[in-house]
Amino acid sequence: MEHPIAAPRRIAGQLLDAAVGYAEERHWDVLPGAWLVEDAAPAGRGGPRIPRCSCGYTACPAPGAHPAGPDWIGEASGNGAAVRRMWLRQPESSILLPTGRTFDAIDVPEDAGCLALARMERMELPLGPVLGTPARRMVFFVLPGAAAKAPDLLRRLGWAPSSLDLVVRGDGDWVPAPPTRLGTGGVVQWVRKPTALNRWLPDTEELICPLAYACGRGR
């Protein structure tokens, strides 16, 4: 059985290695975010400990997966040495990837994402990395500019942007990256890992149609 102190150390080491890898191998800007704190079980009761967000806000909408401070935009870095120093200062920090820089992200429900992904693969469309979150969302990485393009592209396809559960994350936003843990739901994972083959990201125009169609079917 793993020693109770060893598990947090192992997870912290995984977070540091992953954060440095994103900066050095993908040249992505990386940001340390809030993290989960394991509270003791209520007095007199057994059972698992209840994780809470390090921000201290009991009603935190994104426990363990949001920037830790208001000046986060200037704190993100793509320098591997700087990223290493960030995680050595706070090893449990979640890994956040700011969007609107080297990539934007299109965030859809998991069911729609799986349907769209299967269709894209059959069509042999170019695909970048794809995230899966414990909140049952899938996040497709695309070239920067998606946030500005998507509303007009959706209208051309006959969809009102507000009618679809399709969120485009661009400048001023972020996505959590593996192996970040979110609340009590589990760990962010790669559906399609970053590789040398998907280093060149698709443009929004190439993916928006199958994503919109899949989201529309799920309404």
Side-chain angles (χ1 to χ4, degrees), residues 75-168:
E75 295 173 3
S77 176
N79 179 281
V83 170
R84 183 176 296 277
R85 288 194 295 270
M86 292 178 190
W87 263 266
L88 288 175
R89 286 196 297 268
Q90 182 48 62
E92 290 108 359
S93 295
S94 59
I95 303 175
L96 307 181
L97 305 176
T99 50
R101 301 186 180 190
T102 51
F103 62 85
D104 278 3
I106 304 177
D107 181 333
V108 299
E110 184 180 82
D111 289 348
C114 290
L115 178 65
L117 182 59
R119 186 180 181 195
M120 292 173 190
E121 290 174 340
R122 288 196 303 271
M123 296 169 66
E124 298 186 349
L125 293 178
L127 286 166
V130 181
L131 283 172
T133 78
R136 299 185 64 83
R137 307 286 296 184
M138 285 177 65
V139 182
F140 293 73
F141 286 32
V142 294
L143 288 172
K149 294 178 181 179
D152 187 52
L153 290 170
L154 289 172
R155 292 187 190 97
R156 292 182 192 176
L157 292 169
W159 298 100
S162 60
S163 70
L164 297 177
D165 187 2
L166 183 153
V167 180
V168 184

Side-chain angles (χ1 to χ4, degrees), residues 33-55:
W35 59 95
L36 293 178
V37 178
E38 299 285 351
D39 280 343
R45 299 180 185 177
R49 295 182 176 186
I50 303 169
R52 60 179 174 83
C53 187
S54 63
C55 70

Side-chain angles (χ1 to χ4, degrees), residues 195-216:
T195 67
L197 296 177
N198 61 23
R199 183 172 295 276
W200 303 105
L201 300 177
D203 207 339
T204 311
E205 289 92 332
E206 297 174 281
L207 305 190
I208 198 71
C209 181
L211 287 172
Y213 171 77
C215 288

